[in-house]
Amino acid sequence: MASASQTLLRPNYRERRNIRELEKAYQAGNKKPLSDLLRAWKGIQELDPKEFDSFFVIAGYHGEPFRGAGWGNPQWWGGYCNHGNVLFPTWHRAYLWRLENALRSIKGCEHVALPYWDETDQDTTENGLPAVFTSQTIELDTGETIKNPLYSYTFQEPVWDNLSFPAIISNDDNLNIENANPNYYKYPGYETVRYPFSGLTSESKQEQAEIDAYNASIKKLSPADITKALNENIQYWLVDPQHGTRQKYEECLKAPNYTVFSNTTSAMEWNERNLNVKSWGESPVPRKTSPEAIVPLESPHNDMHLAIGGFNYPGLGDANTSDAEFALANGDMGENETASFDPVFFFHHCFVDKVFWDWQKAQNATKDFDIIAGYPGTNSVDAQGPTPGVAGGTWLSMTSALDPFKKGDKPDGPAMTSKDVIDIESQLGYTYIDTAAPLRGAPMAPLPDAKHYAQVNGINRGAIGGSFIVATFKEDKDGKRSLLGYESILSRWHTSGCANCQNHQQVKTFVPLRGVSDGDLEEGSGVKIVPVIMPRLNSNGSMLVGGAQTPTANLGIIKTATA
């Protein structure tokens, strides 16, 4: 018989589970849990696009359609999302809560909780995305077959980047796109795409014809082969034992405080100080110890956006060049403007939020944590620039508004803050159920300590249109390259005009030089450490946005001091 303490009722939290558990239950004959989730998603996607709970409204909070000062002024970011600053985890936690509440607003789906896609489990590393995201149609528990709402979203209204799209809205609200430059314009009826497709549109007839021809060539492949290409790319990104995204997820749990755990800007500053680099542009100071570089949660998060959104894994020989097999792949997950319109965005971020909660539990920070005041990554101009309603130069703290999310989840009212989303159970009413053991992959082997690091810097994000990768290679005497590490930069198409973030557009990263010996770094060894920027390219090898020439990066080697 159970003891009295064992029979105490557990608080009634919504349980967010691995979506593979819902899939396995469906395959075993219990179709209702997954069917209810699908009904909820179908419901919010079909709501009037002006309704508070509609998917169009909620997806549009992240980037496009732009609003506030950023609607027509390139000095500002027009989306509400926070990236590259300390509000990244907490803002997205509130975002998921808003989406989950919308799902529960659909009649008969009041009990639904948002599942997470565990990007590190064995099924993912061996097979890629769960099948529920790649099936175009799906049968519900009633026997009805529906268009799968997790496969894609079809736009009910247009969105565009007004900074590069001098559109004219006529009196009858019809969009006139004559003479427009809509790099990420989405027209009503546009259906979101993932790797290996391209979702770009262009004012240039030649460029649009090229994109259309590329997509037509992909459509000649069977649905199974298209899914295979996507899944294989995801697997490449995840499974590399030294550089893969799965390894990054494990490494980020070691971050010593919330500030450096939360975002790339703060983590790079921490690494710069910890590795004894005086300042960027100066020679590194040799260090007598071998501390590990911090990996922030935002780093593996960025990787998966790019993996699904159209970038080949950088360790492949011809990755992200005009000669790559799917060179023009450009899915909606790949840039901040439209990432959240792909339904998989929310399952990806639900896992990111779970890793956030795992870090909180490991750090005994489920009831409270704080932000290091004045640290890089704590100002509104850091990285992406200010969001709507936030002045440039504003210091970010635990009481900064997480707009547009409101306390009580109403359209109006006081804004939520990071203090309102610390404890997911007592404050937000949900909890995470860990993946069952048979699904979970074995822990990855610990990485060997890095004796030396490369610092890659001097990259102006404003000169590069869209997201990109900073990869670092070891090049031997024969010119053969092997990947040492990479950093994914999730960005947007137009950042060059952001006067409120120009001093914070520089990208910097640290790469542990595992597999590089002391002798390799000696002058005359014939071995080179080579940083490579991998941006969005067109078929002739030029950048899609930003100019023909891909910028270069600066490189410094941080060596362990000799005795």
Side-chain angles (χ1 to χ4, degrees):
M1 177 180 288
S3 67
S5 61
Q6 290 174 316
T7 58
L8 290 175
L9 293 178
R10 182 181 179 182
N12 189 26
Y13 303 132
R14 296 187 303 281
E15 295 182 343
R16 293 185 178 178
R17 296 178 175 271
N18 188 339
I19 194 165
R20 291 195 190 275
E21 294 187 9
L22 276 67
E23 274 194 336
K24 290 182 182 296
Y26 180 96
Q27 293 160 0
N30 181 14
K31 296 185 176 182
K32 183 171 174 53
L34 184 57
S35 295
D36 285 346
L37 177 70
L38 294 167
R39 274 189 279 266
W41 271 89
K42 180 175 183 289
I44 64 171
Q45 288 183 1
E46 292 177 349
L47 288 175
D48 185 292
K50 294 180 175 61
E51 288 194 26
F52 179 60
D53 287 324
S54 74
F55 183 70
F56 181 82
V57 166
I58 294 170
Y61 290 148
H62 193 262
E64 295 179 353
F66 288 163
R67 64 200 45 88
W71 180 84
N73 187 335
Q75 296 184 10
W76 304 86
W77 167 231
Y80 283 115
C81 70
N82 282 270
H83 291 267
N85 67 47
V86 287
L87 302 186
F88 165 71
T90 53
W91 187 90
H92 285 86
R93 175 170 283 178
Y95 194 20
L96 296 176
W97 181 70
R98 170 81 281 275
L99 182 279
E100 186 175 69
N101 286 340
L103 294 173
R104 296 168 62 231
S105 75
I106 301 301
K107 185 176 180 180
C109 302
E110 294 82 1
H111 59 286
V112 162
L114 181 66
Y116 60 93
W117 163 37
D118 189 334
E119 296 163 7
T120 65
D121 69 19
Q122 187 173 350
D123 272 354
T124 295
T125 55
E126 292 180 357
N127 303 305
L129 274 169
V132 72
F133 297 118
T134 59
S135 301
Q136 296 187 40
T137 61
I138 196 163
E139 183 181 292
L140 301 178
D141 55 347
T142 59
E144 177 189 5
T145 297
I146 63 169
K147 179 183 176 183
N148 183 2
L150 305 188
Y151 176 78
S152 63
Y153 167 67
T154 300
F155 278 69
Q156 299 153 289
E157 290 191 354
V159 299
W160 61 92
D161 179 351
N162 203 61
L163 306 182
S164 61
F165 190 178
I168 300 172
I169 308 298
S170 67
N171 291 332
D172 61 355
D173 291 332
N174 290 322
L175 190 63
N176 181 349
I177 63 171
E178 184 178 1
N179 299 320
N181 181 24
N183 283 293
Y184 243 93
Y185 166 62
K186 303 298 182 184
Y187 50 85
Y190 170 84
E191 186 175 359
T192 57
V193 298
R194 301 169 186 150
Y195 181 101
F197 285 101
S198 173
L200 286 179
T201 57
S202 175
E203 66 160 342
S204 164
K205 291 182 179 180
Q206 180 179 346
E207 289 181 357
Q208 190 60 56
E210 187 177 79
I211 294 167
D212 292 343
Y214 171 78
N215 282 332
S217 71
I218 302 300
K219 290 178 181 178
K220 291 179 181 179
L221 301 175
S222 69
D225 284 340
I226 293 171
T227 298
K228 180 182 178 184
L230 171 61
N231 285 335
E232 285 183 347
N233 195 50
I234 290 171
Q235 289 170 268
Y236 279 128
W237 278 86
L238 283 168
V239 301
D240 186 316
Q242 289 204 28
H243 322 110
T245 301
R246 183 184 173 198
Q247 184 71 52
K248 288 186 180 182
Y249 274 124
E250 295 200 7
E251 291 294 309
C252 78
L253 293 173
K254 301 176 183 177
N257 60 67
Y258 171 76
T259 301
V260 301
F261 168 79
S262 66
N263 73 96
T264 53
T265 305
S266 299
M268 291 307 103
E269 174 68 16
W270 182 274
N271 290 336
E272 181 176 330
R273 297 183 186 185
N274 197 38
L275 296 177
N276 247 0
V277 180
K278 289 192 293 185
S279 66
W280 295 99
E282 298 183 25
S283 299
V285 177
R287 51 193 169 80
K288 296 182 179 180
T289 58
S290 185
E292 292 186 18
I294 292 298
V295 176
L297 175 64
E298 192 176 15
S299 180
H301 151 270
N302 290 349
D303 289 349
M304 295 312 295
H305 268 277
L306 270 59
I308 297 171
F311 281 86
N312 291 304
Y313 177 62
L316 301 178
D318 62 351
N320 305 305
T321 69
S322 57
D323 296 324
E325 182 179 7
F326 300 117
L328 298 184
N330 204 308
D332 292 292
M333 272 280 283
E335 268 77 28
N336 274 331
E337 284 94 334
T338 57
S340 53
F341 285 98
D342 185 336
V344 78
F345 170 98
F346 292 93
F347 298 84
H348 161 58
H349 268 277
C350 196
F351 179 64
V352 171
D353 186 61
K354 181 185 182 300
V355 177
F356 178 18
W357 184 242
D358 289 343
W359 178 87
Q360 287 182 253
K361 290 190 291 185
Q363 296 288 328
N364 194 28
T366 60
K367 301 298 181 183
D368 190 34
F369 55 78
D370 211 342
I371 289 169
I372 301 174
Y375 206 79
T378 65
N379 197 283
S380 65
V381 299
D382 288 337
Q384 67 176 29
T387 55
V390 179
T394 300
W395 291 105
L396 306 177
S397 70
M398 294 296 291
T399 57
S400 295
L402 302 180
D403 282 324
F405 311 117
K406 308 300 181 183
K407 295 179 181 180
D409 197 34
K410 305 294 183 183
D412 301 309
M416 297 181 76
T417 71
S418 295
K419 283 188 171 293
D420 298 314
V421 299
I422 294 174
D423 189 336
I424 63 172
E425 295 177 342
S426 65
Q427 292 180 299
L428 300 177
Y430 69 87
T431 193
Y432 285 104
I433 304 300
D434 282 321
T435 302
L439 279 174
R440 202 78 175 97
M444 300 193 75
L447 292 175
D449 288 340
K451 193 174 183 182
H452 310 298
Y453 279 81
Q455 55 159 335
V456 182
N457 64 87
I459 304 167
N460 180 10
R461 188 163 56 94
I464 302 172
S467 299
F468 59 97
I469 302 168
V470 180
T472 306
F473 295 88
K474 174 184 176 181
E475 183 176 291
D476 64 20
K477 298 175 183 178
D478 299 322
K480 182 180 179 181
R481 290 183 176 181
S482 56
L483 182 67
L484 293 171
Y486 60 88
E487 188 68 30
S488 297
I489 311 300
L490 178 65
S491 189
R492 63 187 198 268
W493 282 108
H494 298 277
T495 61
S496 58
C498 184
N500 284 291
C501 52
Q502 280 301 303
N503 294 330
H504 302 262
Q505 292 268 39
Q506 297 299 311
V507 172
K508 42 188 171 179
T509 184
F510 286 88
V511 179
L513 300 182
R514 298 185 179 95
V516 176
S517 67
D518 291 347
D520 290 336
L521 297 178
E522 291 180 359
E523 188 174 351
S525 69
V527 174
K528 299 178 182 178
I529 308 301
V530 183
V532 178
I533 299 173
M534 298 178 171
R536 298 286 198 188
L537 298 175
N538 57 27
S539 59
N540 64 17
S542 299
M543 289 197 300
L544 277 170
V545 177
Q549 297 297 319
T550 301
T552 57
N554 299 327
L555 176 73
I557 304 298
I558 307 168
K559 297 181 180 180
T560 301
T562 56

